Amino acid sequence: MIVPEDIKIIIHNALDVAQSSGDLPNVKIVDIHVEKPRNIHHGDFSTNLPLILTRIMNIPPMDIAEKIISNIDSNFYFSKIESIKPGFINFTFSEKWLQKSIQEVIDLGSKYGDINAIDTKNIQLEFVSVNPTGPLHIGHARGAVIGSTLANILKSKGHKVHKEYYVNDAGNQMRLFLESLFYRYQQKAGINIQEPEELYSGEYLIELAKSLYDRFEKLPIEMPKDKAIEFLSPHVLDSILNDIQSTLSKLGVNYEEWFREKKLLDSGYFDSIIKVLNDKELVINKDGALWFLGTKLGLEEDIVLIRSDQGGPTYFGTDIAYHHNKFKSRNFDLVIDIWGADHHAHVSRMKYAMEALDIDSKRLKIILNQIVNFKDGDHLLKFSKRKGVITTVDDLITEVGVDACRFIFLSRSSESQMDFDLSLAKKQSSDNPVFYIQYAHARLCGIQKSAESLGLKSNGNVLLLNDESEISLIRKIIEFPTIITYAAEQLEPHHLAHYSLSLAKSLQKFYEQCRVIPKDEKPNDLSAARLKLVEASRITFSKVLNMMGMNAPEVM
């Protein structure tokens, strides 16, 4: 299957021949960029290499394009390779190659779309990592879906991916939560005490305190406050993490590791990183706190690493140690963090901190996912349990289902704010893109079952597939590996959602214009060929749905 990397090799070889023969100056070959043109009339792939080389070679770009083209063997793959002003080279696949590619898709089966990249990496992908202070809020679902889908994309490119949830079990928020829980615990025991100044509210906390009281009764009450909280802490954390893990599992999200922040502190790892920064003269004691001298490196301000009055490490402080652990102790080649948009200021800080620790900050990629507005038709929703409006991820799954939840979150790029329309997500019609795409797969399965019951075989000659809608559908099918490659390079899983909808539209046109099962229900060569196209389409739909973490139903 031809993907952009294959086109790059073809161009590179042609350029090398042109330089060796003296047709073009022998200059250092620059990076070759290949992409799909926006205008379908400009071919299947295009490169702007002549425009790049014209500045280096001091030769008109169209002349460079012609020299490169003259050294490309168009052979079986291309029907046309042409130069377009001001200096592009466009490649158009031959119809024969398109037709023959159908068999390759069928032969690959569930492996279709997988690409063994040359530069495979050991990648750590951290996402969600919500403070363990309650159930997952509805706003956390988008990062979970983006992260799990991106992991599937990267794996399909041959990378080793380690999915991880960072458990903030030692921070200030956890301390406040535990104190709030102990207050509720004491209330349950009938003890009338003053409410803490900073109190976590919500039914979840009260219910959790009740379940713990039913288990331990007055045992913690008989202890000093600190000892009681220390006693309850692991049980609280286990209960919350089990709930979070259960919710994420329902959403189709699983991890290789749940990394505890406390581990960094108890092992002395955090202290060792503070020492490294101190040796580099990048920390200072000020106002009773320990500060990271970010201004010394180019940041606009210094940042607290350890709070004053024994307040303990800040989130930023332990996060530096955590990322050092990722790169230096566990030797990940690339680290990808998916954070909420409210962590925007944290991005540059973490990049500078990595450079301070002699870690190339380019190896750290941070994806910020923007907020989601939930609406019901034209009405914007505000979260309120009292009013029966969904507030947790569990509520959302119950309301619209996993497949709709995942697809809609993937339908926009992470950097874009989005509207999640609950009423649309629940529609069982073509207006709902989730239904439309899954119905396309079910329709293909239905055609195959009908063909099987009639004894029709998918053993026809693919060269008979020359209807415009057939060629268009084949083009869309063979685009799949390119979509995966681009999504992996850009770390943008939303391309899968867009592709699946486009594939469904191409299938719809084919279905409307080309009859697969003949009216007389008797075998013929064209029907047998079209059944091959049906199978290639089904394989592609199944794979893209699977990569998005969605079901590929056979009946709807």
Side-chain angles (χ1 to χ4, degrees), residues 459-476:
N459 58 357
N461 182 357
V462 292
L463 297 181
L464 295 174
L465 301 172
N466 48 32
D467 184 89
E468 183 181 348
S469 66
E470 291 170 331
I471 296 300
S472 177
L473 178 56
I474 296 171
R475 269 199 161 87
K476 187 56 63 176

Side-chain angles (χ1 to χ4, degrees), residues 166 168 170-171 261-262 264-265 270 274 305 312-324 350:
Y166 180 49
N168 299 111
E261 178 187 14
K262 201 168 185 294
L264 295 170
L265 301 176
F270 172 77
I274 294 298
L305 297 174
T314 62
Y315 177 82
F316 177 65
T318 52
D319 216 19
I320 292 176
Y322 177 44
H323 282 77
H324 184 277
M350 192 53 57

Side-chain angles (χ1 to χ4, degrees), residues 165-176:
Y165 189 115
Y166 180 49
V167 182
N168 299 111
D169 59 348
N172 192 49
Q173 291 303 313
M174 194 64 191
R175 179 184 63 79
L176 293 173

Side-chain angles (χ1 to χ4, degrees), residues 161-205:
V161 182
H162 184 87
K163 292 172 290 178
E164 190 159 300
Y165 189 115
Y166 180 49
V167 182
N168 299 111
D169 59 348
N172 192 49
Q173 291 303 313
M174 194 64 191
R175 179 184 63 79
L176 293 173
F177 180 80
L178 289 168
E179 288 185 355
S180 299
L181 179 126
F182 187 56
Y183 166 71
R184 294 301 187 189
Y185 195 100
Q186 291 171 301
Q187 278 190 325
K188 177 61 184 173
I191 299 173
N192 187 18
I193 60 172
Q194 185 177 353
E195 183 178 299
E197 289 184 12
E198 296 182 84
L199 177 70
Y200 267 85
S201 59
E203 281 295 319
Y204 178 85
L205 189 65

